[in-house]
Amino acid sequence: MEHTEFSSDVISSQELLDKLYQNGNIKTYREGEIILDENASIRSIPIVMKGLLKVIRTEEDGREILLYYIKAGESCIMSFLVGMHNEKSIVKAEVEEDSEILFLPVEKVSLFIKEYPEWLDYIFRLYHKRFEELLDIINAIAFKKVDERLLNLLTKKAEIANSNTIVVTHEQLANELGTVRVVVSRLLKQLEDSGKVKLGRNKIIFSDLN
């Protein structure tokens, strides 16, 4: 069986890979679609085959903040934890780039943990990575100014896209940073004036990604 980007680079057991594909349901999504919303019941765990997702948390005042990205070969650890405990989702997962996603039923997640030690190792590796990313978010919110957080976000987006050109609106950036559009627009203008970026219509170009 020919697999996509979720392959032996992530899980080396061919038997486990085949089990995932046999028991999972693969769907395709377009940029901007929501695959998981807050307060939704989780009956299956999304594993990204191709593309990119972003996981967002909405505050009580309606503001959103970006928690982390989910790349090909990865899954949402929040979905694992909430789904296995039959709880409601506390995050939203939105398609950042056109994606192909395998949905694995929650009951299979528990079964594979018992049958395949590598599956449990995969979950622990995801948990460790997400935990470090969430610590970075907490550190940034607590100790970094919005301009530094904005530049870090732009750099991360450029690295993920492997391009100096980022297609994004000021409103999207504001949502991901948990601030307002006018603040982002002002800071982007400052970055442009300093020569770090060039602003276009719904796109931002780094003068030098490095």
Side-chain angles (χ1 to χ4, degrees), residues 28-77:
T28 57
Y29 292 88
R30 305 290 292 178
E31 178 184 346
E33 289 191 82
I34 305 298
I35 71 160
L36 174 65
D37 217 338
E38 291 168 316
N39 297 315
S41 298
I42 297 179
R43 297 182 177 84
S44 57
I45 306 301
I47 302 174
V48 180
M49 304 285 102
K50 294 179 181 178
L52 183 70
L53 305 182
K54 60 181 178 183
V55 177
I56 300 165
R57 171 72 174 174
T58 304
E59 300 301 323
E60 292 182 358
D61 60 5
R63 290 186 302 166
E64 296 180 337
I65 188 166
L66 173 69
L67 299 181
Y68 50 81
Y69 288 102
I70 305 177
K71 297 181 288 187
E74 298 179 348
S75 183
C76 178
I77 194 63

Side-chain angles (χ1 to χ4, degrees), residues 3 8 12-13 29 33 45 47 51 57 77 86 95 97 105-107 109 112 132 139 141 144 179 190 198 202-203 207:
H3 296 319
S8 57
S12 59
S13 169
Y29 292 88
E33 289 191 82
I45 306 301
I47 302 174
R57 171 72 174 174
I77 194 63
N86 197 29
V95 179
E97 298 174 359
V106 170
E107 60 270 19
V109 173
F112 290 168
E132 289 186 333
N139 179 70
I141 294 174
K144 293 182 179 180
T179 185
Q190 292 177 3
K198 181 179 179 181
N202 294 341
K203 67 179 180 181
S207 299

